[in-house]
Amino acid sequence: DQQVKQNSPSLSVQEGRISILNCDYTNSMFDYFLWYKKYPAEGPTFLISISSIKDKNEDGRFTVFLNKSAKHLSLHIVPSQPGDSAVYFCAAKDQGGKLIFGQGTELSVKP
Amino acid sequence: IAGITQAPTSQILAAGRRMTLRCTQDMRHNAMYWYRQDLGLGLRLIHYSNTAGTTGKGEVPDGYSVSRANTDDFPLTLASAVPSQTSVYFCASSSTGASRDEQFFGPGTRLTVL
């Protein structure tokens, strides 16, 4: 029973365009969400987060949007760069403070 | 360089053998975690420790054990490895186990059980 779902295993985008990565969750008690980025042969690294009291958080080229009623969040990368090519994991913090991860979406940004 | 180290980087193991994956952090973080990453399943929590001397079970603890004798080290032991434990294992740490704490991940150990 996957509580955090990333239904797109992969996404291909042209350099300079927008990348939109989506994530859905089932537990309405989740109140903090994070995105992690992972390059091959490396551990995941924190990218951006959002609290459920907000609907948007922006950090440079990265923006995360949260729609609580739909239990949906998305990560926008504008403009996309080849160095953004990686696997992106969405995660939610449960009430015990532990991370529940989605399956990941592999982003490929083509020059 | 501050961070998390894991050893070995990779290992091929015969089924039935015992194996300990090592994890050390030098950030003086209280909380530490072990995850496994499998294609199509993302990262799943195996065990965690909120502070030295305490451990807890995550989503997929069966077949694994951990200990937390001190702040820095959090080894993961497979008592009798099985092929379904073939995976990439990541250790992580955070300052506390609190909701807003960022988790920092090690580089991973790729384990193959034959």
Side-chain angles (χ1 to χ4, degrees):
Chain A
D1 182 24
Q2 194 89 17
Q3 296 188 69
V4 178
K5 299 179 183 179
Q6 294 175 257
N7 292 318
S8 297
S10 62
L11 175 66
S12 184
V13 171
Q14 205 69 29
E15 181 179 6
R17 306 294 293 268
I18 184 171
S19 296
I20 300 176
L21 296 97
N22 293 304
C23 178
D24 298 293
Y25 61 96
T26 57
N27 189 336
S28 58
M29 297 300 292
F30 290 154
D31 65 357
Y32 194 67
F33 303 89
L34 307 89
W35 285 92
Y36 277 80
K37 178 179 181 179
K38 184 186 177 306
Y39 291 118
E42 295 183 11
T45 56
F46 170 75
L47 187 59
I48 193 169
S49 63
I50 189 166
S51 165
S52 60
I53 63 173
K54 294 185 173 183
D55 55 15
K56 176 183 174 181
N57 189 27
E58 193 171 351
D59 183 2
R61 296 185 297 113
F62 302 90
T63 302
V64 55
F65 296 92
L66 176 62
N67 182 333
K68 286 179 62 180
S69 60
K71 298 192 185 69
H72 176 84
L73 63 156
S74 60
L75 175 68
H76 292 212
I77 306 173
V78 182
S80 301
Q81 299 174 355
D84 296 329
S85 297
V87 177
Y88 290 79
F89 290 100
C90 168
K93 283 261 189 175
D94 71 9
Q95 289 88 327
K98 295 184 286 297
L99 289 178
I100 311 294
F101 283 89
Q103 304 96 313
T105 296
E106 183 171 10
L107 174 66
S108 175
V109 180
K110 301 193 181 305
Chain B
I1 297 176
I4 299 179
T5 57
Q6 293 185 235
T9 302
S10 65
Q11 181 75 44
I12 298 174
L13 189 66
R17 298 297 296 269
R18 181 184 179 89
M19 176 74 190
T20 295
L21 308 185
R22 300 184 299 279
C23 174
T24 300
Q25 53 100 2
D26 62 2
M27 297 177 283
R28 307 304 294 171
H29 283 172
N30 284 314
M32 296 186 75
Y33 313 84
W34 274 106
Y35 294 88
R36 58 179 289 173
Q37 183 196 358
D38 302 289
L39 193 64
L41 296 174
L43 288 92
R44 293 179 293 167
L45 183 65
I46 304 171
H47 284 287
Y48 66 94
S49 169
N50 285 330
T51 188
T54 68
T55 62
K57 293 182 179 180
E59 181 184 356
V60 288
D62 293 344
Y64 306 94
S65 63
V66 291
S67 61
R68 187 86 185 277
N70 58 61
T71 298
D72 298 345
D73 301 299
F74 191 43
L76 177 74
T77 297
L78 290 67
S80 179
V82 295
S84 62
Q85 292 177 311
T86 294
S87 187
V88 181
Y89 290 85
F90 291 100
C91 179
S93 72
S94 62
S95 181
T96 70
S99 179
R100 299 294 185 265
D101 275 353
E102 174 188 344
Q103 288 187 18
F104 295 85
F105 284 80
T109 294
R110 181 174 294 275
L111 181 67
T112 302
V113 182
L114 302 176

